[in-house]
Amino acid sequence: MSTEQAEKNVELQKDLFQPAEKQALQSDTISRPSLNFWQDAWLRLKGNKGAIVGLILILLLSFMAIFGPSMNKYTYKEQNIAHAKLPPKIPALANIEWLPFDGKDKDGFDMYKAKNVKEAYWFGTDELGRDLWTRAWYGTRISIYIGLLAAIIDFFIGIAYGGISGFYGGRVDNIMQRVIEILMGIPHLIVVILFILVFEPGIFSITMAMVITGWVNMARIVRGQFLKLKGQEFVLASRTLGASGNRLIWKHLMPNVMGPIIVTTMFTIPSAIFTEAFLSFIGLGIRPPEASLGSLVNDGFKSLQVYPHMLIIPSVIISLLILSFNLLADGLRDALDPKMRK
Amino acid sequence: MAKFVFKRLIYMVITLLIIATLTFFLMKLLPGSPLKNQEKLSPAQQEIILDKYGLNDPLPVQYVHYMANLFKGDLGLSFQYDNRPVSTMIGERIGPSAYLGFQAVVFGTIVGIILGLLAAIRQNSLLDYAATTVAVLGISIPSFVFAGLLQYYFAVKYPIFPVAAWEGFEYTVLPTIALSVFVIATVARYMRSELLEVLSSDYIMLARAKGISSFDIMVKHALRNALIPIITLLGPLAVNIMTGSLVIENIFGIPGIGQQFVRSIMTNDFTVIMGVTLFYSVLFIVVVFIVDILYGVIDPRIRLSGGKK
Amino acid sequence: MERLLDVQNLHVSFDTHAGEVKAVRGVDFHLRKGETLAIVGESGSGKSVTTKALMRLIPNPPGRIKEGKMLFEGKDLVKISEKEMEKLRGKEISMIFQDPMTSLNPTMTVGKQIMEPLLKHQKMKKEAARKRAIELLALVGLPNPEARMKQYPHQFSGGQRQRVVIAIALACNPKILIADEPTTALDVTIQAQILELMKELQKKIETSIIFITHDLGVVANVADRVAVMYGGQIVETGTVDEIFYDPRHPYTWGLLSSMPSLDTEEGIALQAIPGTPPDLLNPPKGDAFALRSSYAMKIDFEQEPPVYQVSPTHFVKSWLLHPDAPAVEPPVNVRQTQRTMPQNFDKPVLVGGGR
């Protein structure tokens, strides 16, 4: 800095050197509104494009699962052999060249004209002439049911088991942990398959099989969190103030475990949906005439070479469904518990 | 360390015993009779056969007998395939399954590590986003769907590879890719986050402060520490490869254990189902055991303290 | 004495989603051979960023050195290539970090980690490097060094690990050793040991030390000169005596009044500095400390203060030294120990304008 400039600085008005009025400590006033944990998490989630895409997809697919099957006059099991194996046709989109909804097969041959069919099957039909639109959304409905079921099981059995084990600790925990360790050692799918063999394949056996195996991971996470939190000062403080066990669990432990619980649940859903689709695919899940996305994909393989739509449509739906839940789960994990990234 | 290995070993044995017991009682609960062509046999003949196989003994005796047989590697006889021993059937089919599974794990792990590495080095670049997208698609698209799409596009529509069969390397390409997608995605995701964590750690900063070049830091410090936890993925991946093989082998016509398993499900061939189930369980448990030990051997923190936690 | 290191007008910024965080805003300081300079300030004052910038260890993105010079033996560290910088790091300038628990690679033996800079910079053969590493471990006071070479970091206690980190930093006899709060994470008794060790080693290998701390007690113990940082700027520098016995900046007063000492008379309370450090995303206009200062004048909210020189070694960045400023009394805790320094000029001399 040159002296000239320094000189200039000296020629400052004298009144500037009066003591400033005592101002309120501006640095202490909080300019941003205070956010609680959930508001903060929601803000972070909103900023995650993947999670928002996932959420929108889930809403869209759920809407279709609920209302899709009743959007046309066909039912999921109604057969019409005369209309078997029709390619998809949506009249409104039929004139768009690159979309496969013109009712023509892969050689460009209009099957609807050939078979003299007046109705339009939006997703085409299968080899028994059942409407694939209705069946696909019906299958989505089952997938979502299974996903929700898994979440509920996680919630009730997993949290209870893990909570009890972690909260009481000691011998109770020891025994409960041994049980979990052994359950972890058994491949889940194997248990599910065995279970389904003993009962009849169908939605009930899948449900039961998941009740038996689905909660182990959640139990481990809840237990770990409980054990960790139990030793922390705020819980000890509450204990010394005479808080009851109930109060400790519901007021202190649970709110702090909710983050990991929600994240774990969100990851359970897509894996449950996959398990159901997988079982149905190998013939152990939903049996015809009911439809599951897995069995639809399996049906699709039979006519892969001639009617690829029968494979591609349910494939895309199941993939989107699992993808959307994974995206949302990823986003939730980042928003709720950054430490769980892995 | 010895204590740690011993403890894991005990758990392994207990788990196996429980699975075997579970399998035995489930067999007993199963509907139907183990006799083939039941309707053609007279009640007296049936009795003779049941006696011969010890099926008229009281349950505890049968249980002991069953466990003893298991111990000898005898998994019983198939209902469908002319009473062939299940163990022989598994033995004959293990080759293609093992080959495919191994190829998929190796290919998937290598590609996954490279993908995760690139994503971590170029964090928040286009490459990173691409790798992350591939990874989330990879864990989301079910293997049977992916296999179907591969088969349709690369064998039917553009016949680059054969549709199905087991006659040489080109027949393994599509099934290997289909099986390894999940492996690639899982390893890449894990590798990326693990490497990012390591790279932002204090000891990497100290290594830089020592004047070590970026390349040496990556090779000598970061990669090693990021790769060690990848070993823990091998257990879940083994399970995934096993379940994946059930559908992939069917789709691509590979004469492996998975194909046999699904066929047996279709034909209610219970002894085979149980045999394969047990076989898979043992495989899984052994993999988990090896992974645990391996992790202990490689990570000095665990090696020296003699156990996790 | 010659200046080993001369930092001029250093600006370091981080580009975040919210905007540019100006962590260091025009810092000037120098370091002479063999001396210890302490940089003091609360967390977020930019002291760690300044030294990481010296080592060019600021992760980029998001961080970058915006302008300024860092002259080390005539070479500008801002301008040299990464390759040249690698040659300096660990050899000419080395660094000790705050947390010894995390600053060693957990899967590499301690021996290897000490040998690394020797192999890289001194081009030693493996056997020679091993011998030297054992010497170093003995030098930093670890018993049984040969056996410890083969051990992993988790087999060392916190204090022992910090000794290892010091051994690594000293491996190539660096000209400058930067210690970034090296004792903060340690127990008080271990702190004293580590400080003693550093002082002793400094004598042996004649290195200059830049010591970053927020603990004035440590400063009094180790430093020759002190630079007080606030809001990304150096607000006062001087010799230890000048800073402790003749402080001029209200922030330094605040720091001193909040520190307990044996000299503090009974009945005099320790004074906390009210408020929190400024948000460097939008640095305040004028004097960054004005908001928290009870000595603030109107001009403090309008113009950045210039630097005044009080003695050959004592510089203060505050409007309070302007001839027109009213005479103010420092807080009572400071007044108690205040002395007139013999080298002081008759009145402060303006040496630099506000920016």
Side-chain angles (χ1 to χ4, degrees), chain B residues 59-211:
Chain B
L59 214 55
V61 177
Q62 283 191 38
Y63 176 67
V64 172
H65 190 67
Y66 167 84
M67 291 305 255
N69 277 343
L70 268 191
F71 199 67
K72 286 182 277 184
D74 179 359
L75 294 169
L77 301 175
S78 162
F79 297 169
Q80 291 294 325
Y81 294 87
D82 303 318
N83 293 339
R84 293 188 59 202
V86 174
S87 45
T88 320
M89 292 173 64
I90 292 176
E92 282 169 3
R93 285 172 165 270
I94 200 166
S97 289
Y99 179 90
L100 207 60
F102 188 73
Q103 192 164 291
V105 168
V106 171
F107 173 74
T109 311
I110 293 174
V111 174
I113 287 176
I114 294 172
L115 213 60
L117 180 72
L118 291 176
I121 295 177
R122 301 256 170 275
Q123 197 194 354
N124 294 331
S125 68
L126 215 63
L127 187 73
D128 184 17
Y129 293 133
T132 318
T133 311
V134 167
V136 78
L137 285 176
I139 60 162
S140 296
I141 300 178
S143 50
F144 55 88
V145 167
F146 198 76
L149 298 179
L150 277 181
Q151 199 175 44
Y152 177 66
Y153 284 105
F154 295 104
V156 176
K157 210 164 177 187
Y158 310 100
I160 304 166
F161 294 103
V163 176
W166 187 251
E167 282 154 27
F169 177 72
E170 69 266 34
Y171 290 84
T172 71
V173 174
L174 291 182
T176 302
I177 295 175
L179 262 183
S180 60
V181 173
F182 187 84
V183 181
I184 293 175
T186 315
V187 172
R189 271 162 79 99
Y190 204 79
M191 182 72 191
R192 177 178 179 276
S193 69
E194 201 64 35
L195 196 59
L196 283 179
E197 199 182 311
V198 168
L199 282 177
S200 66
S201 69
D202 285 358
Y203 61 83
I204 294 297
M205 179 81 97
L206 184 80
R208 287 185 65 199
K210 286 198 275 192

Side-chain angles (χ1 to χ4, degrees), chain A residues 178 181-182 185-187 189-190 194 197-198 278 281-282 284 301 304 308 315 319 322-323 326 330 342, chain B residues 11 14 18-19 26 140-142 144-145 148 151-152 189 194 243 247 251 261 265-266 273-274 277 284-285:
Chain A
R178 296 295 89 79
E181 260 170 66
I182 285 162
I186 308 171
L189 202 76
I190 299 283
L194 286 179
L197 283 177
V198 175
F278 176 86
F281 182 84
I282 62 173
L284 277 175
F301 269 101
L304 172 64
S315 293
S319 302
I322 299 178
L323 176 71
N326 271 329
D330 272 354
K342 241 177 221 180
Chain B
Y11 271 119
I14 293 176
I18 288 177
I19 293 174
L26 281 175
S140 296
I141 300 178
F144 55 88
V145 167
Q151 199 175 44
Y152 177 66
R189 271 162 79 99
E194 201 64 35
T243 49
V247 291
I251 292 168
F261 189 65
I265 289 173
M266 302 299 173
I273 299 174
M274 293 301 170
T277 304
F284 169 68
I285 290 162

Side-chain angles (χ1 to χ4, degrees), chain C residues 34-319:
Chain C
E35 79 170 343
T36 300
L37 170 73
I39 300 181
V40 198
E42 50 199 324
S43 22
S45 60
K47 51 195 194 321
S48 268
V49 175
T50 305
T51 48
K52 287 210 173 100
L54 269 180
M55 291 288 272
R56 291 254 305 263
L57 285 178
I58 306 271
N60 179 1
R64 64 201 155 90
I65 298 175
K66 245 175 83 185
E67 59 172 296
K69 284 182 182 165
M70 303 188 297
L71 300 170
F72 170 73
E73 296 186 316
K75 249 183 292 183
D76 187 354
L77 299 184
V78 177
K79 298 226 172 71
I80 64 172
S81 71
E82 179 61 28
K83 266 257 145 348
E84 280 175 272
M85 195 63 218
E86 266 169 26
K87 281 183 200 148
L88 292 179
R89 281 192 207 123
K91 185 170 181 239
E92 309 284 353
I93 311 176
S94 52
M95 191 158 181
I96 304 170
F97 293 96
Q98 184 169 7
D99 189 355
M101 302 313 274
T102 55
S103 49
L104 290 169
N105 185 341
T107 62
M108 196 185 259
T109 60
V110 161
K112 260 197 192 157
Q113 298 191 51
I114 303 177
M115 283 157 65
E116 248 184 343
L118 295 169
L119 297 170
K120 160 108 190 178
H121 298 300
Q122 317 262 37
K123 308 270 178 281
M124 281 190 184
K125 290 271 177 301
K126 238 190 173 153
E127 197 39 46
R130 214 181 79 82
K131 271 210 187 102
R132 170 85 178 123
I134 294 172
E135 274 172 37
L136 281 163
L137 279 178
L139 184 73
V140 296
L142 281 172
N144 203 2
E146 221 151 309
R148 306 232 78 173
M149 286 282 288
K150 288 187 218 91
Q151 293 186 329
Y152 289 91
H154 68 270
Q155 291 163 288
F156 289 68
S157 71
Q160 288 174 330
R161 286 191 211 190
Q162 199 61 306
R163 284 170 194 266
V164 173
V165 175
I166 293 174
I168 292 173
L170 297 179
C172 304
N173 295 327
K175 298 201 172 93
I176 300 177
L177 175 65
I178 300 171
D180 186 354
E181 308 214 21
T183 57
T184 310
L186 300 173
D187 285 346
V188 183
T189 46
I190 312 289
Q191 278 186 16
Q193 288 175 16
I194 296 287
L195 287 179
E196 274 315 304
L197 174 72
M198 287 183 65
K199 282 204 288 196
E200 197 183 300
L201 293 174
Q202 184 178 22
K203 266 183 223 144
K204 272 191 201 160
I205 63 171
E206 294 180 328
T207 174
S208 310
I209 296 181
I210 298 178
F211 202 104
I212 301 176
T213 182
H214 60 256
D215 185 345
L216 284 172
V218 171
V219 174
N221 200 354
V222 298
D224 298 316
R225 284 193 308 121
V226 182
V228 180
M229 273 194 90
Y230 185 80
Q233 297 175 322
I234 290 181
V235 295
E236 183 163 10
T237 65
T239 62
V240 181
D241 286 349
E242 281 164 345
I243 296 297
F244 276 84
Y245 300 119
D246 187 20
R248 297 297 178 96
H249 195 280
Y251 179 63
T252 316
W253 293 345
L255 280 183
L256 288 167
S257 321
S258 60
M259 178 188 76
S261 94
L262 290 175
D263 306 333
T264 312
E265 265 177 35
E266 250 180 83
I268 294 174
L270 293 179
Q271 302 288 316
I273 304 175
T276 48
D279 180 5
L280 293 177
L281 194 58
N282 305 299
K285 206 170 130 194
D287 190 333
F289 187 59
L291 276 174
R292 298 168 71 188
S293 169
S294 47
Y295 301 94
M297 298 173 290
K298 283 179 191 151
I299 192 166
D300 279 323
F301 293 98
E302 283 169 26
Q303 288 200 35
E304 196 180 324
V307 176
Y308 291 92
Q309 193 172 10
V310 183
S311 83
T313 48
H314 193 175
F315 297 82
V316 185
K317 187 181 172 70
S318 168
W319 281 118

Side-chain angles (χ1 to χ4, degrees), chain A residues 148-188:
Chain A
L148 289 180
L149 180 77
I152 291 167
I153 293 167
D154 249 13
F155 249 86
F156 286 101
I157 309 182
I159 295 176
Y161 193 100
I164 291 171
S165 181
F167 185 74
Y168 291 105
R171 203 162 52 189
V172 178
D173 178 45
N174 224 333
I175 294 167
M176 290 176 91
Q177 267 320 97
R178 296 295 89 79
V179 173
I180 290 232
E181 260 170 66
I182 285 162
L183 276 177
M184 288 290 287
I186 308 171
H188 284 180

Side-chain angles (χ1 to χ4, degrees), chain A residues 50 53-55 57-58 61 140 143-144 146-147 266-279 293-294 297 314-330, chain B residues 135-146 182 189:
Chain A
V53 170
L55 192 62
L57 269 178
I58 290 172
L61 288 168
T140 313
S143 288
I144 292 177
I146 292 287
M266 281 311 295
F267 279 106
T268 306
I269 294 174
S271 90
I273 292 176
F274 167 78
T275 305
E276 184 275 322
F278 176 86
L279 290 170
L293 291 171
V297 174
S315 293
V316 168
I317 296 178
I318 184 80
S319 302
L320 278 181
L321 194 60
I322 299 178
L323 176 71
S324 62
F325 276 105
N326 271 329
L327 284 173
L328 183 63
D330 272 354
Chain B
V136 78
L137 285 176
I139 60 162
S140 296
I141 300 178
S143 50
F144 55 88
V145 167
F146 198 76
F182 187 84
R189 271 162 79 99

